[in-house]
């Protein structure tokens, strides 16, 4: 070969950045046969740890053998592959890499695979890249030749012939002097020997006039890597030649992709992501850009794989992004957020079905795929002046989520293959953001559905309180939390008010919230005092932590929660409350004055800090007082002290005479303008008081002869209340309960009747043992009393009292009675 044949001129161009691509050679069985020092620096494995072993050694555990086999078959079928992949670092963490697999051929018709990987983090760092790194990014053709230690060609790829015009069969077994002029050959030989001796990587730039484009000067960069064997000794030199004529353009592409890393996917809103993709493409890549998503995607529903590939009819799309250098020129039949109807035979529908991009460098609206099937769109394209078009499917895993369309009208240069590659890279990054948004939307929807199903759909305070509530989930970036509230009607017209917050966000927090809410309701049925209930709830959370702990995890996850539990009695107008790490309630009197009770904080539930018992505080509340229970999301905000939030809440609640619904709305308006990073929960309860005329009580001596007297007192009171239909069953219930109190108690007892939404009959005695129904035999004379009470009551139970216990039973009021 002569200079006239190739006109190669080496030139001492200032060396660019040394490439940071990791190079490995793999045989046809997937075994690593060559390794580089750059590969060791990037993934941590020395040559001795990799050479001779399967390439799967550096794949994450999830990349199983089956998937690796499928990937190998794909590479063989396509003659190579390029894209992104996960690589396992030696220390165990996973790296996200840009990967390129190139097929090399040898003299004996054998094949090898050269794998080039580059850290995506370095690609998006914004620094100027080296030739190999830029070529990996742009997927431009790379000429590859592998030389043995004697600098004779042993392997080469097809692309190298396009660089210098030398057929592959003339290259094998030859040295540099057989393919380059003597001066250039000697210069490159010196460089390659230095690479062999030092194991380093070197770049040598030169100019050339390739046979395919002889009138035009091209700039090339040859990057030389030392391939090592298992002992770390030089196995040969790999030369990767890249046409860097468009080096400035490559840097522009890198800048565009760097912009994509920061401007696409700024939120988890799929429609906004589509608009971000369109905005970035114009005018950096195209004069006009459209982004259309499958109609279900904006609603958080991923299209099924079957639907993605269905060819029966075109899918409905929804326009998510529109950008243009002049929207007046681009007259669109559909605007943003409208449903787009694509013709089944159009290139757009074809791209949706096949998942493959479509490039039309010169749009011909008089022939080809545009004619006959979509005259409206043909006219729009013709009138807009768009002369070059790219259609890129937005793919995520096995589904096509939509399409991105790029057009040029003002820019006269038509789209080329390298433009399509850049567009595909941009769309790939957008697709990853869209897929993340879809996965988040699915989890958020599931968590919201679960939480809404678990929270009370309708709260009622019975005769004790009037209630109103608000619940606002956290913003899209933080997800659904574990807030909950509840209002539980207890015996004796009393009511329990609960608010709690599980640490964390997402579906696990929502599920834990449901478990704790169920536990609180179960404990409330036992009528435990607030401090005792929280102690039992703390034990429950600890057991959940123990059950959910992963024995293989050295630092198991701990579920923590806060809770505030209060019981209000409208008969005595007293409220008993205790809290476990939860913010204290606010109390608003009838004049609008707001105070916070001095309530011991208590340790959060489940953290193992409950060494000090929880403490209850009893308060006397005037009728019409408003109790405000809330979660910290209502009063905490970034950059502000919690006292500021408490003051805002107190100001919102300090409005005498306002309805609870109005107070809830005022409190919600006090939230900061930015979206909350936590759930917001508010429960308001306005206290009521039972009139003395609706309560009757009698102290009974500890004698069985008082049983008829108790029955008579109860019957007389019922007739005064106009509840004659209840006389007979209540007399029977009173007789049984008083008899048990006298037989099993050690002192005087007390009978109380309460008329509220139901009629409650209570008998108090000094025995702390809770009654248990018995199952008497046929001939037993005793043991049927509680069974009879249960049969005659709507419900019955018992609770602890300060000096014993209270056994109670409820009766529905007659429909004609004036229930409260």
């Amino acid at each position: 070969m002569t200079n006239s044949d190739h006109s190669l001129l080496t030139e001492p161009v200032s060396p660019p950045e040394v490439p940071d691509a990791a190079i490995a050679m793999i045989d046809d069985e997937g075994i690593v046969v060559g390794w580089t020092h750059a590969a060791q620096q990037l993934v941590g494995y020395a040559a001795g740890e990799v050479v001779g072993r399967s390439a799967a050694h550096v794949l994450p555990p999830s990349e199983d053998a089956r998937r690796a086999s499928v990937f190998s078959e794909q590479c063989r079928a396509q003659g190579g592959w390029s894209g992104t992949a996960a690589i396992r670092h030696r220390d165990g963490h996973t790296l996200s890499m840009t990967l390129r697999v190139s097929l090399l051929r040898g003299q004996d018709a054998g094949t090898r695979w050269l794998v080039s990987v580059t850290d995506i983090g370095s690609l998006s760092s914004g620094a100027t890249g080296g030739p190999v790194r830029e070529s990996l990014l742009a997927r431009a053709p790379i000429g590859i030749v592998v030389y043995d230690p004697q600098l004779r060609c042993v392997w080469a790829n097809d692309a190298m012939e396009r660089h210098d015009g030398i057929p592959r069969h003339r290259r094998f077994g030859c040295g540099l002097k057989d393919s380059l002029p003597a001066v250039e050959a000697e210069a490159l030989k010196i460089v390659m020997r230095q690479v062999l001796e030092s194991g380093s990587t070197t770049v040598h730039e030169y100019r050339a006039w390739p046979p395919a484009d002889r009138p035009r000067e091209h700039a090339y960069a040859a990057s030389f890597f030392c391939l090592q064997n298992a002992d770390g000794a030089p196995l040969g030199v790999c030369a990767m030649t890249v046409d860097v004529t468009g080096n400035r353009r490559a840097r522009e592409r890198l800048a565009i992709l760097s912009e994509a890393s920061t401007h696409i996917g700024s939120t988890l809103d799929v429609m906004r992501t589509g608009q971000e993709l369109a905005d970035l493409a114009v005018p950096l890549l195209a004069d006009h850009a459209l982004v259309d998503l499958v109609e279900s995607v904006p609603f958080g529903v991923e299209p099924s794989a079957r639907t993605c590939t269905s060819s029966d009819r075109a899918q409905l799309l929804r326009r998510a992004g529109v950008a243009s250098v002049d929207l007046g020129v681009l007259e669109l039949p559909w605007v943003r957020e409208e449903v787009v109807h694509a013709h089944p035979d159009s290139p757009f529908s074809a791209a949706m079905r096949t998942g493959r991009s479509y490039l039309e460098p010169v749009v011909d609206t008089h022939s080809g795929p545009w004619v006959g099937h979509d005259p409206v769109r043909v006219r729009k394209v013709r009138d807009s002046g768009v002369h070059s078009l790219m259609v890129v499917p937005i793919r995520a895993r096995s589904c096509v989520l939509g399409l991105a369309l790029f057009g040029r009208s003002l820019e006269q240069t038509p789209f080329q293959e390298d433009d399509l590659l850049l567009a595909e890279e941009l769309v790939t990054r957008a697709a990853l953001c869209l897929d993340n948004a879809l996965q988040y939307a699915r989890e958020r929807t599931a968590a919201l559905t679960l939480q809404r199903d678990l929270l009370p759909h309708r709260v009622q305070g019975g005769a004790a309180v009037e209630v109103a509530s608000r619940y606002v989930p956290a913003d899209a970036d933080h997800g659904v939390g574990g807030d909950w509230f509840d209002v539980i009607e207890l015996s004796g017209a009393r009511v329990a008010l609960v608010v709690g917050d599980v640490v964390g966000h997402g579906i696990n927090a929502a599920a834990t919230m449901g478990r704790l809410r169920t536990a609180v309701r179960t404990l409330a049925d036992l009528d435990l005092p607030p401090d005792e209930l929280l102690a039992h709830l703390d034990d429950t959370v600890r057991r959940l932590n123990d059950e959910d702990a992963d024995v293989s995890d050295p630092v198991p996850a701990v579920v923590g929660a806060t809770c505030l539990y209060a019981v209000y009695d409208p008969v005595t107008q007293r409220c008993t409350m205790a809290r476990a790490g939860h913010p204290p309630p606010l109390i608003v009197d009838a004049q609008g004055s707001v105070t916070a009770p001095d309530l011991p904080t208590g340790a959060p539930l489940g953290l193992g800090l409950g060494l000090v018992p929880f403490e209850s505080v009893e308060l006397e509340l005037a009728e019409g007082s408003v109790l405000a229970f809330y979660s910290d999301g209502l009063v905490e905000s970034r950059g502000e002290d919690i006292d500021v939030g408490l003051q805002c809440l107190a100001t919102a609640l300090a409005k005498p005479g306002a309805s609870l619904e109005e107070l809830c709305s005022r409190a919600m308006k006090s939230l900061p303008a930015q979206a909350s990073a936590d759930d917001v929960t508010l429960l308001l309860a306005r206290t009521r008081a039972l009139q003395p005329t609706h309560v009757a009580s009698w102290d009974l001596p500890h004698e069985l002869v008082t049983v008829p007297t108790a029955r008579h007192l109860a019957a007389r009171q019922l007739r005064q209340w106009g509840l004659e239909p209840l006389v007979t069953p209540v007399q029977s219930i009173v007789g049984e309960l008083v008899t048990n109190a006298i037989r099993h108690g050690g002192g005087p007892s007390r009978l109380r009747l309460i008329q509220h939404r139901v009629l409650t009959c209570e008998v108090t005695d000094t025995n702390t043992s809770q009654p248990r129904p018995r199952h008497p035999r046929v001939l037993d004379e005793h043991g049927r009393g509680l069974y009879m009470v249960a049969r005659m009551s709507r419900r019955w139970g018992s609770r602890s009292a300060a000096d014993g216990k209270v056994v109670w039973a409820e009766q529905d009021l007659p429909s004609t009675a004036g229930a409260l």
Side-chain angles (χ1 to χ4, degrees), residues 118-418:
T118 305
D119 188 358
I120 286 179
S122 66
L123 290 176
S124 60
S125 64
T128 301
V132 172
R133 186 167 75 178
E134 292 180 0
S135 65
L136 287 172
L137 188 62
R139 304 180 190 173
I142 303 176
I144 304 174
V145 180
V146 176
Y147 299 90
D148 64 14
Q150 287 73 43
L151 303 184
R152 295 172 300 193
C153 173
V154 290
W155 302 97
N157 71 340
D158 295 335
M160 192 61 199
E161 183 175 347
R162 295 196 291 272
H163 286 325
D164 57 18
I166 301 176
R168 188 172 60 248
H169 68 275
R170 289 178 50 190
R171 194 186 302 273
F172 293 131
C174 298
L176 293 172
K177 63 182 179 59
D178 298 310
S179 58
L180 292 174
V183 175
E184 289 78 14
E186 190 61 32
L188 290 181
K189 187 183 297 184
I190 293 174
V191 172
M192 295 170 70
R193 291 195 184 282
Q194 290 176 345
V195 171
L196 280 173
E197 293 173 1
S198 64
S200 61
T201 300
T202 301
V203 176
H204 192 86
E205 290 193 2
Y206 61 91
R207 291 175 297 163
W209 287 260
D213 191 15
R214 190 173 294 276
R216 182 185 177 193
E217 179 186 87
H218 284 241
Y220 290 94
S223 304
F224 299 96
F225 302 84
C226 179
L227 291 172
Q228 301 173 338
N229 60 19
D231 298 326
L235 182 68
V237 176
C238 173
M240 303 180 71
T241 303
V242 180
D243 187 336
V244 294
T245 306
N247 200 36
R248 177 178 299 178
R249 181 168 174 78
R251 279 194 285 267
E252 291 174 354
R253 293 175 181 278
L254 187 61
I256 293 174
L257 292 178
S258 178
E259 289 288 309
S261 300
T262 57
H263 288 82
I264 298 179
S266 61
T267 70
L268 291 170
D269 184 337
V270 295
M271 295 293 283
R272 181 168 177 180
T273 300
Q275 185 61 48
E276 289 170 344
L277 172 59
D279 290 338
L280 181 66
V282 176
L284 296 178
L285 175 63
D287 295 328
H288 317 285
L290 304 175
V291 178
D292 296 336
L293 300 176
V294 174
E295 189 181 23
S296 63
V297 170
F299 302 100
V301 180
E302 179 182 307
S304 66
R306 183 187 65 80
T307 303
C308 291
T309 58
S310 173
S311 58
D312 296 339
R313 57 189 178 89
Q315 293 189 57
L316 292 180
L317 304 173
R318 188 172 294 274
R319 183 135 295 164
V322 178
S324 174
V325 292
D326 187 353
L327 284 175
V329 172
L330 192 66
E331 295 183 9
L332 300 172
W334 299 288
V335 299
R336 190 168 186 266
E337 297 189 2
E338 284 191 351
V339 175
V340 177
H341 302 269
H343 194 281
D345 297 328
S346 68
F348 313 110
S349 296
M352 288 289 296
R353 288 193 301 270
T354 63
R356 292 192 294 270
S357 301
Y358 173 80
L359 169 64
E360 191 166 356
V362 179
V363 175
D364 184 0
T365 57
H366 300 284
S367 62
W370 297 97
V371 177
H373 63 76
D374 201 349
V376 174
R377 192 185 291 261
V378 169
R379 181 176 57 82
K380 293 289 186 183
V381 172
R382 187 182 298 125
D383 294 345
S384 69
V386 172
H387 61 81
S388 190
L389 182 71
M390 296 186 296
V391 181
V392 181
I394 303 173
R395 303 188 60 181
R397 291 173 290 169
S398 60
C399 275
V400 177
L401 303 180
L403 293 173
L405 288 74
F406 306 95
R408 279 181 177 171
S409 58
L410 300 182
E411 171 62 49
Q412 295 304 310
T413 305
F415 287 125
Q416 303 296 329
E417 287 291 340
D418 57 347

Side-chain angles (χ1 to χ4, degrees), residues 12 54 262 492 795:
S54 171
T262 57
R795 65 173 188 151

Side-chain angles (χ1 to χ4, degrees), residues 457-750:
H457 295 182
R458 185 167 59 98
V459 291
Q460 291 183 325
V465 292
E466 173 194 359
V467 292
S469 62
R470 291 289 189 277
Y471 168 74
V472 179
D475 62 25
D477 293 331
H478 295 84
V480 178
D483 285 13
W484 90 92
F485 64 92
D486 212 343
V487 180
I488 308 169
E489 295 188 54
L490 304 176
S491 63
R494 297 169 305 130
V495 67
L497 304 167
V498 193
V499 64
D501 186 2
V502 176
V503 175
H505 296 87
I507 196 167
N508 290 334
T512 302
M513 175 273 289
R515 298 165 82 177
L516 295 187
R517 177 172 178 256
T518 301
V520 169
R521 278 193 160 262
T522 301
L523 294 170
D525 285 342
L526 300 177
D527 257 328
L528 298 174
D531 55 341
E532 293 184 26
L533 184 141
L534 290 181
H536 284 287
L537 189 62
D538 183 48
D539 291 338
T540 299
V541 176
R542 291 190 197 182
R543 284 196 299 272
L544 291 177
N545 284 334
D546 293 340
E547 293 170 2
D548 295 341
D550 185 352
V551 295
S552 63
D553 189 351
V555 184
V558 176
V559 172
T562 63
C563 184
L564 172 61
Y565 185 83
V567 175
Y568 174 69
D569 187 344
V571 177
T572 63
Q573 295 179 237
R574 301 190 70 82
C575 181
T576 306
M577 60 183 70
R579 60 179 176 138
H582 202 84
L586 297 180
I587 301 176
V588 187
D589 62 21
Q591 289 72 42
S593 176
V594 182
T595 58
D598 186 11
L599 184 62
T601 303
L605 303 170
L607 302 184
L609 303 177
L611 301 177
V612 179
F614 298 103
E615 296 182 50
S616 292
V617 170
E618 188 175 69
L619 306 172
E620 186 168 352
L621 301 176
E623 183 177 5
S625 299
V626 175
L627 288 164
F629 301 86
Y630 53 91
S631 62
D632 53 8
L634 183 60
V635 295
E636 287 185 352
S637 61
R638 292 183 290 269
E640 287 189 351
D641 190 80
I642 189 174
D643 291 337
V644 176
L646 285 172
Q647 184 59 46
C648 290
L649 178 59
T651 302
L653 298 177
K655 187 176 181 182
S659 68
L660 294 186
E661 290 294 333
E662 182 182 352
L663 291 179
C664 282
S665 299
R666 285 170 55 88
M668 291 298 106
K669 290 179 181 178
S670 69
L671 288 171
Q674 70 269 22
S676 174
D678 198 0
D679 289 9
V680 173
T681 300
L682 176 64
L683 174 64
L684 300 182
R686 178 171 278 133
T687 62
R688 293 169 173 159
L690 279 183
Q691 298 299 321
T693 56
H694 289 87
V695 181
S697 62
W698 304 271
D699 292 325
L700 304 175
H702 191 64
E703 300 174 358
L704 286 176
V705 294
T706 62
V707 173
T709 303
R711 289 163 54 91
H712 173 73
L713 292 172
R716 185 179 65 184
Q717 185 62 54
L718 292 177
R719 292 188 179 96
Q720 290 178 3
W721 283 341
L723 303 178
E724 285 84 357
L726 298 183
V727 169
T728 300
V730 169
Q731 279 188 316
S732 299
I733 291 172
V734 168
E736 294 298 335
L737 296 184
V738 173
T739 299
N740 286 343
I742 294 173
R743 285 180 174 173
H744 304 291
S749 56
R750 185 175 183 81

